[in-house]
């Protein structure tokens, strides 16, 4: 029979992958939450800038309205200044005329001359009053002229001052508005970049969620497949048990310990290894394996017998494989059997070949290809000798039928490789 060397599919890596996706999704959620916080902060800052811009625009509108009112006032002032200038010019003409009148009327002479030259008292009084009137009128015009000139100068300065203040305030507000426009643009760019980054991270999260779903689906499919394979394995074990029962019925020399029943249970009746020496008084001259067997090899045989009825996992390096099982039994008893090829594993462990006629408890029978002894080819199989009584040999083997991982025992066993170019080699380990 051939050992199964197929790899067993394990669902644990798939489950670990699903857990890994959970970690990645959680990390993405943390990144997205952080970006959302930054977006909120950017939006608040943008709203603050827009509020400041609105306030500045309102102030600019107020200044614009003031400038409009001031322009109207300036126009009015210029009109008043123009009127004042006209009046000043008219007064200057009037004052020149009055001066001529005074000269013509003899006002250049003294009041005494006027009185002396008067024809009568009434004429003197009339002349003095005329002169006085002209002088007073001239003085009044002069006072008005001076007052109007001062008023024009004062209003002109007021207009110039107001215009200067408005121009300065307008420049400052326009500069602030331009700065706010720049800040708003920069903040909008930052906010858009955060939104774009969040969209990218959310896309990654979606990909991880999809990958996790795919991994979970694959895990479920693998679990279903393993359940199906397990059911098939149980069915194969049941069929093997039936065949073993039939073989036992046909050949009383086979042992009946650790048989899998039809209901899936196992009969765990104890079984001791067959004595390594011929029974006393048997008189059987064809007895084999009469040499001395060490306690370590007896222990290995008992460990193997205790494993009968077990089902172990199969696949490369798994304990259910035939050669791995034999290695485990021998190593557990203190006999060194290191991993290797179907031939090199024995030579590396210090084992030597012996003939079948000299087989003893603790020996290992290895089916190997005569053309490629160290190759893992279809037909490789390994069994452990656990009992020798006369010419009857009892062995324990694993993974028969192939892929089952089932441990069974057979009495009355002889080597018989079923594959072409294969041979049975008996190996004896030191110790």
């Amino acid at each position: 029979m051939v050992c199964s060397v197929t790899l067993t599919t394990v669902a644990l890596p798939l489950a670990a992958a699903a857990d890994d996706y959970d970690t990645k999704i959680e990390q993405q959620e943390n990144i997205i939450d952080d970006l959302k916080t930054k977006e909120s902060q950017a939006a608040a800052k943008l709203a603050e800038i827009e509020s400041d811009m609105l306030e500045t625009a309102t102030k600019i509108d107020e200044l614009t309205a003031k400038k409009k009112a001031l322009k109207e006032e300036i126009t009015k002032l210029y009109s008043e200044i123009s009127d004042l200038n006209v009046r000043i010019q008219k007064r200057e003409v009037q004052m020149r005329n009055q001066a001529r009148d005074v000269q013509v009327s003899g006002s250049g002479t003294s009041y005494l001359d006027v009185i002396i030259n008067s024809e009568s008292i009434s004429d003197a009084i009339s002349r003095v009053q005329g002169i006085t009137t002209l002088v007073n009128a001239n003085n009044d015009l002069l006072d008005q002229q001076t007052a109007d000139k001062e008023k024009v100068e004062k209003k002109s300065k007021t207009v110039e001052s107001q215009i200067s203040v408005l121009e300065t305030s307008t420049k400052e507000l326009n500069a602030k508005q331009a700065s706010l426009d720049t800040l708003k643009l920069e903040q909008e760019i930052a906010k858009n970049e955060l939104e774009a980054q969040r969209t990218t991270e959310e896309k990654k999260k979606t990909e991880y969620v999809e990958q996790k779903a795919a991994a979970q689906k694959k895990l479920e499919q693998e679990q279903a497949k393993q359940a199906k394979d397990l059911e098939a394995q149980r069915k194969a074990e049941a069929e093997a048990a039936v065949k073993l029962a039939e073989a036992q019925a046909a050949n009383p020399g086979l042992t009946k310990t650790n048989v899998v029943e039809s209901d899936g249970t196992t009969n765990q009746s104890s079984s001791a290894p067959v004595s390594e020496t011929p029974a006393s008084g048997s008189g059987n001259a064809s007895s084999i394996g009469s040499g001395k067997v060490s306690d370590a090899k007896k222990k290995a045989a008992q460990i193997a017998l205790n494993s009968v009825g077990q089902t172990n996992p199969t696949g490369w390096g798994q304990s259910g494989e035939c050669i791995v099982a034999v290695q485990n039994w021998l190593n557990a008893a203190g006999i060194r059997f290191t991993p290797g090829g179907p031939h090199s594993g024995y030579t590396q462990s210090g084992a030597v070949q012996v003939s079948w006629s000299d087989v003893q408890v603790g020996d290992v029978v290895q089916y190997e290809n005569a053309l490629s002894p160290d190759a893992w080819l279809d037909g490789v199989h390994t069994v452990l000798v656990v009992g020798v009584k006369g010419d009857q040999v009892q062995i324990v083997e694993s993974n028969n039928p192939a892929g089952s991982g089932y441990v069974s025992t057979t009495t009355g066993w002889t080597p018989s490789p079923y594959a072409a170019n294969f041979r049975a080699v008996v190996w004896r380990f030191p110790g």
Side-chain angles (χ1 to χ4, degrees):
M1 303 299 290
V2 63
C3 290
S4 170
V5 294
T6 57
L7 294 176
T8 301
T9 303
V10 181
L12 287 178
L14 293 176
D19 292 338
D20 185 50
Y21 284 125
D22 284 336
T23 301
K24 290 181 178 179
I25 291 171
E26 183 179 356
Q27 290 174 345
Q28 287 305 116
E29 288 175 346
N30 292 335
I31 293 173
I32 291 169
D33 290 341
D34 182 59
L35 287 173
K36 285 182 178 178
T37 300
K38 290 181 179 178
E39 280 184 59
S40 299
Q41 294 172 348
K45 182 65 176 178
L46 185 60
E48 182 181 343
I49 293 172
E50 290 175 345
S51 176
D52 201 359
M53 290 180 68
L54 181 60
E55 182 180 350
T56 303
T58 302
K59 289 181 179 179
I60 291 175
D61 291 341
E62 291 174 355
L63 280 179
T64 302
K66 286 184 180 180
K67 286 176 69 176
K68 182 179 179 182
L70 186 57
K71 284 181 180 179
E72 293 175 357
E73 185 177 349
I74 290 170
T75 301
K76 183 178 178 182
L77 284 173
Y78 280 141
S79 177
E80 291 178 0
I81 291 171
S82 178
D83 292 341
L84 287 173
N85 287 328
V86 170
R87 283 188 294 184
I88 289 170
Q89 290 173 2
K90 286 182 179 179
R91 285 194 193 100
E92 288 179 350
V93 173
Q94 186 178 358
M95 289 173 68
R96 284 196 297 271
N97 291 334
Q98 287 177 349
R100 281 197 300 271
D101 290 340
V102 170
Q103 290 175 355
V104 171
S105 60
S107 58
T109 62
S110 66
Y111 283 102
L112 181 59
D113 290 338
V114 170
I115 294 171
I116 294 173
N117 295 325
S118 298
E119 296 177 356
S120 62
I121 293 174
S122 59
D123 182 40
I125 293 171
S126 176
R127 286 187 177 189
V128 169
Q129 287 179 342
I131 293 171
T132 302
T133 300
L134 288 172
V135 171
N136 289 337
N138 193 45
N139 289 334
D140 290 341
L141 286 173
L142 183 60
D143 291 340
Q144 290 178 4
Q145 189 81 334
T146 301
D148 285 344
K149 285 183 178 181
E150 290 178 352
K151 187 182 294 185
V152 168
E153 184 178 355
K154 183 177 181 180
K155 286 187 177 183
S156 298
K157 289 182 178 179
T158 300
V159 168
E160 291 174 358
S161 175
Q162 289 178 338
I163 290 175
S164 176
V165 170
L166 284 175
E167 290 296 336
T168 301
S169 299
T170 301
K171 287 180 180 178
E172 290 176 352
L173 287 173
N174 286 334
K176 183 177 181 181
Q177 186 74 350
S179 176
L180 288 173
D181 287 340
T182 302
L183 284 176
K184 180 183 178 183
L185 180 60
E186 292 174 350
Q187 198 65 24
E188 286 176 343
I189 292 173
K191 184 173 178 290
N192 292 337
E193 288 177 349
L194 287 171
E195 290 176 351
Q197 189 176 355
R198 175 172 57 81
T199 300
T200 300
E201 298 300 335
E202 286 176 342
K203 184 178 179 181
K204 286 183 181 179
K205 176 188 173 183
T206 301
E207 291 175 353
Y208 288 146
V209 170
E210 292 174 351
Q211 291 171 0
K212 176 187 175 183
Q216 288 178 331
K217 182 178 180 181
K218 187 174 181 180
L219 174 61
E220 292 171 357
Q221 292 174 344
E222 190 60 36
Q223 289 173 337
K225 180 179 180 298
Q226 288 187 350
K228 183 178 179 181
D229 291 345
L230 181 60
E231 183 61 29
Q233 179 177 323
R234 288 174 179 171
K235 183 177 179 181
E237 290 172 358
E239 292 175 351
V242 172
K243 291 180 180 179
L244 180 59
E246 292 174 351
Q248 288 172 337
N251 186 356
L254 293 176
T255 62
K256 298 183 179 181
T257 60
N258 296 287
V259 177
V260 178
E261 305 294 347
S262 59
D263 61 358
T265 62
T266 303
N267 178 2
Q268 293 292 342
S269 60
S270 62
S271 175
V274 178
S275 171
E276 69 275 12
T277 58
S280 59
S282 63
N284 192 337
S286 61
S287 296
I288 59 178
S290 58
K292 179 65 176 177
V293 176
S294 67
D295 291 338
K297 293 181 180 178
K298 291 178 182 178
K299 182 179 179 181
Q302 190 59 59
I303 292 172
L305 282 167
N306 292 340
S307 301
V308 174
Q310 295 179 359
T311 299
N312 300 311
T314 59
W316 188 260
Q318 296 295 318
S319 60
E321 294 295 333
C322 58
I323 192 168
V324 176
V326 173
Q327 288 170 343
N328 291 340
W329 297 331
L330 290 175
N331 288 331
I335 299 172
R336 177 176 170 270
F337 186 3
T338 59
H343 190 90
S344 60
Y346 295 92
T347 58
Q348 292 170 3
S349 302
V352 295
Q353 297 185 30
V354 297
S355 64
W356 174 249
S357 62
D358 191 34
V359 67
Q360 294 179 356
V361 171
D363 290 345
V364 177
V365 180
Q366 177 68 55
Y367 290 175
E368 65 178 33
N369 187 282
L371 302 178
S372 300
D374 218 35
W376 294 104
L377 301 174
D378 187 20
V380 172
H381 190 53
T382 312
V383 303
L384 176 66
V385 176
V386 297
V388 177
K389 187 175 183 180
D391 58 357
Q392 295 287 306
V393 176
Q394 181 181 0
I395 58 96
V396 174
E397 60 185 333
S398 180
N399 206 29
N400 185 10
S404 67
Y406 179 67
V407 180
S408 61
T409 182
T410 303
T411 300
W413 184 88
T414 56
S416 56
Y418 77 93
N421 297 320
F422 269 78
R423 63 190 177 193
V425 180
V426 183
W427 292 96
R428 182 166 298 164
F429 289 83

